[in-house]
Amino acid sequence: MHAWKDWKKRVVPAALVGALAGALVLPGAGPAAAAAARPARAAVHEAYVSMAGARAAGPADAQRVHVLEVGRPQARQVVVLVPGQFGAADDFRALAEELVARLPDTQVWAVDRREQDLADLSGFRSGPDAAAAYYLGGHYRVQTPQTAAYVGQWGLAVELDDLRQIVLAARDHGRHQVVLGGHSWGATTALAYAAWDFDGRPGYRDLSGLVNLDGGVHDAFAGQGDVYRLTAAQAAAWQRQIAGGAVFDGSLAAVAGRPETLQILQQLAGAYAVAAPDAPSTLAPRLPAPLRPNHPVSNAGLITWMLASHPLAAEMSINPAYTRSATAARALAGPVPAALEWYWPNRLTLDLEAADPFRPTPAGRLLGLRLWHAAQIDVPLYSFASGLTHGTVNAAARWVVDHSRIPAATFAENDAMTHLDTLWAAPGRSTVLSTLAPFLARLDER
């Protein structure tokens, strides 16, 4: 058990203040980015590492995952963070750099799921003009249900088996303690890991804590309008659709035409904003009418238009009072790792929706979800809620605490922050940073 009984569950109120904004979009066929000056600090160790994943459907070269490691390899505590839907490892770089600067004995590992290897990021090795010619000219390698049919079998079991390889590598035979967390559906994934049965061993036994960044289970997203009540019949019908060729989640294809187009254009926009923030945008005129600015903009101004003033959806927005344009542009630009995943498996969407009740259900049994240990989870929990879900993220986290053996929890919230501000808010403005760092410090003191 844990020597945490005197650490009471608490709510950390939000603190409010300001900065600027970033991210974007554009279809494809075949602001000034200067960051505010900060005190000089020692260079942070960063490495992008490939490691073997679990054995699953697909060719041998598809059985790998990647991790962006930020911070001292000798650190006693490793925080493994899983991105949300369509997110990737570079989502966490800005937050990770700030955390390890405050916590020298903590390292952050940001996960790239196996499907990120399906993306052809080679065109971003050159400047943004060459990248635009490569991608908008249709020269990149495209994945289809025919070329990657095996992705139809990449569900939650595969993701958690991969994640277990990462967690065990981070533990290094007990030399390090591991905190597991995630953003949005990445937080759902982290909680599912804790409850999962790995051949008789509960996932939470590998962990010293859990971090929930604006996501979770048990109606965490209800305040946004997403309530999951999947029946076994619906799950079976969904499986048939996947077997019939609906291998990739098509949510973003509805906006931009192909599963990967929106992500490519967001990365291009970030690359232009980093390279020449004040130059007139050459991407803006190529946007489809619903996304196109109604006046000329700079490269940085296009990011501000798309994320701050005219976002596609609330979860794709930033609040200029919290997130700098330069930070968002840097995350989007990559190039490797990137901030966006091109080919999200439809089976993973199915399984995560089925996992939402966080207990065995007929749909979960049909899908083989091994969420057998939720009630036994006994490690401390941190949960942060932005304004996206109007309180349901932390309400759901409290439900998890009340229906488990979690000994202590910190609940933080800031209704003025957006879903992306959770990741990218400026250090002096971020409620996440000011509340998560003390939580992690307490874990490291155990």
Side-chain angles (χ1 to χ4, degrees):
M1 297 300 289
H2 306 275
W4 283 67
K5 297 305 181 183
D6 57 340
W7 180 33
K8 297 181 179 178
K9 297 168 182 142
R10 68 196 74 184
V11 177
V12 182
L16 187 61
V17 243
L20 185 49
L24 74 59
V25 196
L26 156 69
R38 298 181 194 169
R41 65 167 58 145
V44 175
H45 168 85
E46 295 190 5
Y48 189 58
V49 178
S50 173
M51 61 181 67
R55 188 70 184 95
D61 61 2
Q63 313 299 320
R64 302 200 67 78
V65 292
H66 291 80
V67 170
L68 172 64
E69 299 179 356
V70 181
R72 296 171 55 250
Q74 301 82 12
R76 192 175 81 91
Q77 177 169 260
V78 180
V79 181
V80 177
L81 294 176
V82 183
Q85 188 179 29
F86 299 109
D90 212 39
D91 280 345
F92 294 114
R93 188 196 297 266
L95 178 61
E97 289 174 346
E98 296 299 332
L99 284 172
V100 302
R102 286 160 174 76
L103 303 169
D105 208 25
T106 294
Q107 188 181 37
V108 176
W109 288 17
V111 174
D112 261 343
R113 288 170 284 255
R114 62 171 52 217
E115 54 266 26
Q116 187 66 340
D117 266 357
L118 299 173
D120 176 7
L121 299 175
S122 62
F124 289 105
R125 293 172 183 159
S126 303
D129 287 335
Y134 182 71
Y135 292 107
L136 302 185
H139 304 298
Y140 67 95
R141 184 185 71 248
V142 173
Q143 300 291 349
T144 68
Q146 291 71 43
T147 61
Y150 51 86
V151 175
Q153 299 179 54
W154 289 2
L156 186 57
V158 172
E159 179 174 5
L160 294 183
D161 284 345
D162 282 346
L163 189 54
R164 183 159 171 75
Q165 303 308 306
I166 294 170
V167 168
L168 294 178
R171 279 174 55 83
D172 191 19
H173 304 287
R175 293 183 179 88
H176 308 280
Q177 67 177 29
V178 175
V179 181
L180 180 61
H183 176 246
S184 194
W185 257 355
T188 311
T189 303
L191 287 168
Y193 182 100
W196 201 259
D197 185 88
F198 293 96
D199 296 324
R201 181 178 174 85
Y204 69 84
R205 290 188 181 170
D206 301 327
L207 310 174
S208 63
L210 289 162
V211 171
N212 176 22
L213 298 177
D214 219 23
V217 296
H218 200 77
D219 291 345
F221 302 100
Q224 184 193 5
D226 292 332
V227 177
Y228 306 118
R229 296 289 186 272
L230 200 66
T231 67
Q234 290 170 328
W238 198 331
Q239 283 183 303
R240 290 192 292 271
Q241 291 175 353
I242 294 171
V247 168
F248 304 123
D249 185 304
S251 303
L252 298 185
V255 176
R258 282 197 47 80
E260 74 279 1
T261 300
L262 183 60
Q263 297 90 306
I264 290 172
L265 297 166
Q266 287 177 324
Q267 188 161 348
L268 281 172
Y272 272 113
V274 167
D278 298 321
S281 171
T282 57
L283 282 177
R286 306 172 76 172
L287 289 166
L291 307 179
R292 189 181 309 131
N294 58 14
H295 56 81
V297 294
S298 65
N299 287 324
L302 179 58
I303 286 188
T304 301
W305 173 277
M306 297 307 301
L307 274 194
S309 59
H310 294 78
L312 283 174
E315 60 266 34
M316 300 174 72
S317 70
I318 58 172
N319 182 344
Y322 290 92
T323 298
R324 296 186 181 100
S325 173
T327 303
R330 177 191 175 203
L332 291 171
V336 177
L340 300 163
E341 186 176 290
W342 288 18
Y343 300 105
W344 179 274
N346 199 8
R347 176 59 193 262
L348 188 51
T349 299
L350 166 59
D351 286 353
L352 286 168
E353 289 197 13
D356 189 73
F358 210 49
R359 60 176 183 269
T361 64
R365 284 189 285 272
L366 175 72
L367 297 169
L369 304 186
R370 302 192 297 275
L371 297 166
W372 300 343
H373 303 289
Q376 286 78 50
I377 297 171
D378 65 354
V379 297
L381 171 70
Y382 169 91
S383 181
F384 172 81
S386 75
L388 178 68
T389 63
H390 309 287
T392 57
V393 159
N394 276 347
R398 287 187 175 89
W399 181 92
V400 171
V401 171
D402 290 342
H403 291 80
S404 69
R405 298 176 182 172
I406 290 175
T410 292
F411 303 98
E413 56 192 20
N414 188 334
D415 288 345
M417 287 176 65
T418 71
H419 200 49
L420 293 181
D421 293 335
T422 302
L423 301 170
W424 298 339
R429 314 296 192 193
S430 174
T431 305
V432 173
L433 190 60
S434 65
T435 56
L436 177 57
F439 171 85
L440 296 173
R442 286 191 291 271
L443 285 176
D444 193 35
E445 290 167 0
R446 288 174 37 216

